[in-house]
Each structure stands twice: as structure tokens, then as C-alpha cells.
Amino acid sequence: MSELLDKLCQNRRLDRAEWRKLLASRHILDQTGLFHRAAAERRRWYGEEIYVRGLIECGNICKNNCLYCGIRRDNHHVARYRLDRDTILDCCEKGYGWGFRTFVLQGGEDPGLTPDWVAETVEAIKARWPDCAVTLSLGEFDREEYQLWFDAGADRYLLRHETAHPAHYAKLHPPELTLAHRMDCLYTLKDIGYQVGAGFMVGSPGQSMDTLTEDFCFLQDFQPHMVGLGPFIPQKDTPFAKEPAGTLEDTLILLALVRLTLPKVLLPATTALGTIHPQGRELGILAGANVVMPNLSPPDTREKYTLYDNKLCTGDEAAEHLAGLRKRLAAIGCTVAVHRGDFPDKR
Ligand code: SAM
């Protein structure tokens, strides 16, 4: 297997059969060696700096019914909310004071969020904090809307592809949501000029060697600037309530393989990873991740953005505890960057 890893490190791509073979044997790989190689690659591009993003969960109203997601339309146990612009600006103000230079506005696909409102909110953030980047993660829209928001100043867009295998996509989503449309959105975002994030959950129901092979083939072809990759965690009021969560081991291995495929990629150690293991984020960084996204939402709304059960939103996950995160990162030899933290080619 080490020949396949060598080949991946040399060419930054494998063919389908090679990916299948590597992924099939991922649990018998020398994990210490794999994580060292991935962390060395991270250091080559980012040194010991970890990039932080202030995550503002701007609303949990969603017209979609993704089977895995706790804020899906049919979950009637969710107390729905939408932040107003002043509240979002207050979050940014606090975050700026703490050292955040990227704000991520993430939320459900809320029909009540008009394209103009989003554009004006982006403009307001960029006008007050011109040295900051704005990342949007609001779901699937038409080119017109993505262009409007880019012209308003949005820099990045996170839209996990969720799975690059059409039948698997259909298992995770209702029929009105298609992989083809998700992919169209990703290519459109890239074409407009955003730094684009794709990604998927590790251990989502139905994930297999075949689906993971498609994910890695897609990632090496699409060349996203960011990859969001964290464990699937069941949420009790969804159809997948009884499904097992993705594992720490699998998530770390796949993070390392993403780093080796896309050496410069912006790769978060996700909240979900921190949720399944108390040292999840540090372990993620040691396996090649270079970004963390502490929660900058108003504390009283955090519990309503329940994508999955027991989601971390306090302690060092909270943006106001950046000092705690700094300490934890210092313990693994890393520092927190106080700048926008762009993809290396876009600086
Ligand atoms: N609406 C936007 C979208 O569709 O991209 C952004 C919000 S969506 C809730 C953000 C991400 O949460 C999804 O891309 C998905 O991968 C992740 N997510 C949802 N439910 C999850 C679960 N049960 N476990 C882990 N991650 C989950």
C-alpha cells in the first residue's frame, strides 16, 4: 500500500482502481506514517499557523429535507430562528475584537432570506471590516444569486458535495435534490471566482468503498480550495436517528488522504470531529487539517442549530474562548493566525 501512497504524493492523483485499492486497505495502513506525511504537507504550505473562522449560524429555517440533517424541513421539534442583520454585525464586531478575520455565514436554505438581503449583509460586513473575508454557506442557488453575492464582496463559498456517487446521493436526499444540480452549483461558484469548498460526511449511511472512490476522484478533478470533512453524527428526530456515527479513525485517515491529494487545501478540523472525541480537533490537525471554525453565533441560538445530537457549542468550541483554543493548539506546536487565511494562490 505504501507504493500507492508514494504515487499519490508524487502525482497528487490516482486512477479509480488505485483509489479503490487504497481506500479498501485504509485500516491496515501505517497510520502514524500517514499522519506524519499529511502534517508535513500542511506545514509546507502553512507552517505552524492554524487559520480560524468565526462561524455565524445565521438561521435554521430550511426548505430542504436531507435525511441526515437535524434542521430538515420535516423536523418539527426544532425551534426555528433567523438572525437579523444587526445581530450578525454584532457577532462580527465581537469576533473581530477576538482576532477573527474570516466570518462564515451558514444556514439552512431559507426562502425568507432574500438574495438582496444577503448581498446587503455581505456589503455591510465588508464595509466595516475590509480586512476580513466573508464565506457564505447557504446552499444551492442560481448563478445570478451567487454572482450578486460575489459582487457584494463574498470571497468564499462552502457547499459540500455530500457524496459524488449518484445512488448514494439519492439515499441521503429526497428526490427533488440531485447530485447533478449540486455539482452544477460547485462549478458555477468556481467559475465566478469564489474560493470554493466541497466535502462530505465520513460514515454517512450507505457510504462504501465505491462512494469514497467517487469522492476522491471528484476532489482530485475539481480541485476545491477547501474541503469540509467530518463524521456523520445521527440526530434523534431524523430518519437516520438509529444509524451509527462515523468514526474518529476513519475521519483522520480520510483527512490525511485529502491533504496528500490537495496539498494546499484549506481543511477544517470540524466541530463534528470535536464532538465525537474530546481531542478531535487536535488529532485532526495532526492528521493534516489546518483550519478551525469556532462558533461565533449568539450563545442563545447555538442550541437551535442542531444538525446532529450533542453538537459542541460551548467550551473551546465557542469563539469567545479563543484563548482556550490557542492553548490547546500551542500544546501541539501550533499558533492561531490573525489574518484572512486565504488559499495560498489567492493571497
Ligand atoms: N444549507 C447549506 C448547505 O446545504 O450546504 C449549509 C448548511 S448544512 C446544515 C451544512 C452541513 O452540515 C452539510 O453540508 C452537512 O454535511 C452537515 N451536516 C448536516 N447534518 C449532519 C449530521 N447529522 N452529521 C454531520 N454533519 C451534518
Side-chain angles (χ1 to χ4, degrees):
M1 253 350 89
S2 62
E3 310 86 71
L4 277 182
L5 265 189
D6 289 343
K7 188 168 182 190
L8 177 63
C9 292
Q10 211 169 6
N11 302 344
R12 303 302 175 193
R13 60 185 304 118
L14 295 175
D15 66 26
R16 241 184 201 80
E18 290 167 335
W19 268 121
R20 215 172 182 289
K21 202 165 163 197
L22 183 61
L23 289 163
S25 60
R26 66 191 187 278
H27 296 290
I28 52 163
L29 283 174
D30 161 21
Q31 287 183 21
T32 313
L34 172 69
F35 299 156
H36 271 124
R37 278 173 104 150
E41 204 59 60
R42 162 176 63 75
R43 261 183 245 110
R44 187 143 82 93
W45 296 101
Y46 297 102
E48 294 305 345
E49 277 197 330
I50 300 301
Y51 292 179
V52 289
R53 282 61 168 105
L55 178 63
I56 304 170
E57 296 160 337
C58 50
N60 66 359
I61 300 169
C62 193
K63 68 177 166 63
N64 292 334
N65 224 4
C66 308
L67 278 79
Y68 47 84
C69 185
I71 62 167
R72 68 200 298 271
R73 181 183 69 223
D74 283 354
N75 185 357
H76 300 296
H77 296 97
V78 179
R80 304 284 172 174
Y81 74 92
R82 180 188 301 132
L83 300 185
D84 59 31
R85 187 173 300 137
D86 284 345
T87 307
I88 292 174
L89 293 173
D90 282 349
C91 295
C92 297
E93 172 115 60
K94 288 200 179 85
Y96 192 90
W98 292 323
F100 289 92
R101 296 293 179 268
T102 288
F103 303 117
V104 181
L105 304 189
Q106 190 185 80
E109 267 182 47
D110 173 359
L113 274 192
T114 67
D116 285 341
W117 184 91
V118 174
E120 285 157 22
T121 304
V122 172
E123 269 164 8
I125 296 173
K126 297 292 277 198
R128 279 177 66 179
W129 300 284
D131 55 333
C132 291
V134 172
T135 304
L136 297 177
S137 180
L138 300 172
E140 297 177 29
F141 289 85
D142 292 334
R143 176 180 279 267
E144 202 183 335
E145 278 100 40
Y146 288 150
Q147 186 70 57
L148 177 74
W149 301 339
F150 186 75
D151 294 342
D155 302 272
R156 309 185 190 126
Y157 205 101
L158 298 177
L159 187 77
R160 289 181 175 185
H161 65 282
E162 311 296 0
T163 169
H165 189 284
H168 187 214
Y169 199 90
K171 185 178 162 70
L172 299 178
H173 299 95
E176 65 273 17
L177 297 176
T178 63
L179 178 58
H181 190 258
R182 194 93 176 163
M183 292 290 181
D184 262 5
C185 290
L186 282 164
Y187 281 97
T188 301
L189 288 160
K190 207 168 188 206
D191 188 50
I192 289 172
Y194 283 95
Q195 295 172 53
V196 181
F200 59 92
M201 294 175 287
V202 176
S204 62
Q207 190 169 73
S208 66
M209 226 61 67
D210 288 336
T211 69
L212 286 171
T213 298
E214 292 311 310
D215 287 323
F216 277 89
C217 289
F218 166 66
L219 290 177
Q220 71 189 11
D221 287 344
F222 182 63
Q223 294 283 314
H225 306 91
M226 306 173 272
V227 173
L229 191 148
F232 159 75
I233 303 177
Q235 201 282 336
K236 63 181 173 39
D237 303 309
T238 63
F240 291 154
K242 299 273 184 284
E243 297 287 340
T247 66
L248 175 73
E249 184 191 24
D250 236 354
T251 308
L252 297 178
I253 293 171
L254 296 177
L255 279 171
L257 291 177
V258 170
R259 171 63 66 204
L260 295 179
T261 309
L262 303 167
K264 300 184 210 171
V265 79
L266 295 161
L267 186 62
T270 60
T271 306
L273 186 55
T275 300
I276 61 164
H277 189 282
Q279 261 86 50
R281 270 163 315 198
E282 291 94 319
L283 293 168
I285 288 165
L286 295 171
N290 74 316
V291 174
V292 280
M293 299 171 66
N295 198 321
L296 191 51
S297 312
D300 59 331
T301 63
R302 287 180 199 171
E303 284 185 1
K304 298 182 192 148
Y305 198 76
T306 44
L307 305 184
Y308 45 82
D309 291 335
N310 306 315
K311 180 168 156 271
L312 278 191
C313 60
T314 54
D316 295 337
E317 188 56 34
E320 57 272 28
H321 296 154
L322 197 59
L325 182 66
R326 272 204 183 90
K327 255 195 214 152
R328 290 169 74 137
L329 295 179
I332 54 167
C334 294
T335 58
V336 169
V338 182
H339 55 68
R340 287 168 42 118
D342 284 303
F343 186 76
D345 293 350
K346 300 254 178 185
R347 278 176 202 153

